[in-house]
Every structure is written in C-alpha cells, then in structure tokens.
Amino acid sequence: MTPPDLSVSHHIQCGNCPIRHRAVCSRCNEQELQAMDEIKYYRKYDAGQPIIWAGDAVDFVGSVVTGVASLTQTMEDGRRQMVGLLLPSDFVGRPGRDTAIYDVTATTDVMMCCFRKLPFEQMMITTPHVSQRLLEMTLDELDAAREWMVILGRKTAKEKIASLLAIFARRSTALSKADVGGKLVVDLPLTREAMADYLGLTLETVSRQMSALRKTGVIVLEGKRHVIIPDFDLLLQETGDDTDGGMLI
C-alpha cells in the first residue's frame, strides 16, 4: 500500500532525533546518516488512522519517532486481536517482504521517520551497521513476543497490568537514558480502554486492578494517564516474574 500524502514539512536533524540512540540508524557514522537522510521522509498519522493494511503492498519502512501504534490481526469472521504495540524507536515494515502481514494503526498521534523501501534494502547490503542493528531489534521483538505470550496466557489480571506498566517504564527510561530503579514517572501511552483490549481484559477489570495497585502504594495516579512508580522493584514483585533468577519452590 502506498500511504496517503501525509508528509510533514519540517525535517528532523538526526543529531536532534529523540530516538537516535535506539533506532535502526543508531550506529551509523555521519556519512552513513547523510546517505539515509537522502531516502527518508516524515509522516504524521492521527490517532485511529491506519498506517498499513494487512495484505497490501508496502513501499516504505521506518521507525516510530513519537506516539504509539498497534499491530492487529483480523480473523475471517471479523474478530480482531491486538498482537503487539509499536513504541518510539520500534521499526515498522519488513525489508524483503512485498506485503504486510498485520494491520498497523496509530493508537495515538504518531510521527514516523520513513525510508523508501528499495533504497533502504540496498543500504542494508552496503551498510553493515544498519543490517546488524535491525537484526538486534528483530531479536528483541522476538523476545518481547515470547514475554507477551506468558503475560496473556499465564498471568492474573493484576500481574498483566503490572507487567504492562513495567514495560512502559523500561521503554521510557531507555529513551531518556535514565536508570531503571527507584522512583519513576511514566505517562501512559494508552487509554484504559486500549490497555483492556491489548491485555484481553474488560475496562472494569483494568480500572479495578489499577486502583488495587494504587491502594497498596505500588503506583501513584495523577489523572488517568500520569503514573508515578515510587519503587520499581516493588512493581516488579507484582508482575509474577521470577526476578531473582532462582528456582521456584
């Protein structure tokens, strides 16, 4: 699918890019960045707007710069399942693949740094930094998918909410290069309705479990989207994960 003409007028300098240290271009030198700059452009998508439709041909790949997008699979009878989230620095599209497998939709307002697909595939051959970094990101995505299988399949409602909050906290600190630990402040990128859809829970269950975490002091809520985590280790204890690596007895 060729996306609509949503190109933005301004051009972000790579050195000022908020995802520079985590994106597919993070290891490129100045000459390589200049080459990438020649094949990139920016697009903005409003919340709820489709970015890619499953089954369509896609002529671009890129990275989420700001905002959150969802990966969704639609079944034959029309049922839809959210299978992943794309957060800032996550890569969209698959080089070497002609059509998309999943629908990609802007969950919030999204800014994307896009690359024309064919020149990007050529750059992967001539610029090892790019292909190596994309491989790392793909393996991280695989690990995240496996983690999500555990979250959806084995965890209680409270553990699901705590795990999602921990994921958002880790990504927020990674983008800001802050340390994970102690007090953290996170602006949730999803509404509670979207959290419920992603976790396979009802809206009432999400609200109830968020309130339970608040009452026990695990989180402090300021409005519906601003979350303070006084002690990250305390939040991890609520995820149900074996965080110390020891045997469960």
Side-chain angles (χ1 to χ4, degrees):
M1 178 186 76
T2 301
D5 185 13
L6 300 170
S7 300
V8 298
S9 58
H10 65 282
H11 194 84
I12 300 174
Q13 297 297 323
C14 290
N16 298 324
C17 180
I19 62 170
R20 171 74 173 88
H21 62 290
R22 285 184 55 86
V24 69
C25 57
S26 62
R27 295 180 182 172
C28 292
N29 58 36
E30 289 301 321
Q31 183 177 359
E32 293 163 344
L33 286 176
Q34 185 176 356
M36 295 193 77
D37 195 61
E38 294 175 358
I39 65 171
K40 80 177 183 183
Y41 55 94
Y42 293 92
R43 292 190 184 276
K44 293 170 68 175
Y45 298 86
D46 296 330
Q49 186 173 6
I51 298 174
I52 296 171
W53 289 112
D56 283 351
V58 183
D59 62 1
F60 73 98
V61 296
S63 297
V64 176
V65 179
T66 59
V68 177
S70 63
L71 293 170
T72 307
Q73 185 166 11
T74 302
M75 288 169 272
E76 188 174 359
D77 60 3
R79 288 176 295 163
R80 291 166 60 86
Q81 175 62 51
M82 192 184 300
V83 297
L85 288 177
L86 296 168
L87 303 175
S89 79
D90 284 341
F91 195 77
V92 180
R94 291 292 181 268
R97 181 173 291 169
D98 294 331
T99 58
I101 295 180
Y102 302 111
D103 295 333
V104 182
T105 306
T107 304
T108 67
D109 291 345
V110 169
M111 170 79 77
M112 280 192 56
C113 176
C114 302
F115 303 99
R116 288 182 285 119
K117 188 165 177 285
L118 291 178
F120 183 85
E121 291 172 346
Q122 181 61 36
M123 181 164 284
M124 289 180 61
I125 298 173
T126 60
T127 310
H129 299 304
V130 174
S131 56
Q132 290 170 2
R133 177 58 183 150
L134 186 57
L135 175 60
E136 290 178 356
M137 296 172 73
T138 303
L139 292 175
D140 287 343
E141 184 180 329
L142 177 60
D143 288 341
R146 289 168 172 166
E147 178 184 5
W148 203 248
M149 289 174 62
V150 175
I151 291 174
L152 292 181
R154 304 296 296 177
K155 291 192 175 185
T156 67
K158 181 185 287 187
E159 290 169 346
K160 288 180 179 181
I161 296 295
S163 297
L164 186 59
L165 293 176
I167 290 171
F168 288 148
R170 286 194 180 101
R171 178 57 67 89
S172 178
T173 55
L175 287 172
S176 63
K177 298 183 180 180
D179 293 329
V180 178
K183 180 179 177 181
L184 298 174
V185 179
V186 179
D187 289 314
L188 295 181
L190 299 180
T191 64
R192 293 192 181 185
E193 290 85 350
M195 291 172 64
D197 186 26
Y198 190 40
L199 293 168
L201 302 172
T202 65
L203 173 60
E204 293 75 15
T205 298
V206 171
S207 296
R208 186 166 57 249
Q209 296 303 330
M210 291 284 285
S211 296
L213 291 171
R214 177 185 58 80
K215 289 178 181 178
T216 55
V218 176
I219 61 174
V220 177
L221 298 176
E222 294 184 354
K224 291 186 177 181
R225 305 282 284 272
H226 193 71
V227 177
I228 299 172
I229 304 171
D231 187 335
F232 187 69
D233 289 337
L234 186 60
L235 175 64
L236 290 182
Q237 292 177 21
E238 298 292 339
T239 65
D241 295 328
D242 178 22
T243 55
D244 64 3
M247 293 183 63
L248 299 176
I249 58 175

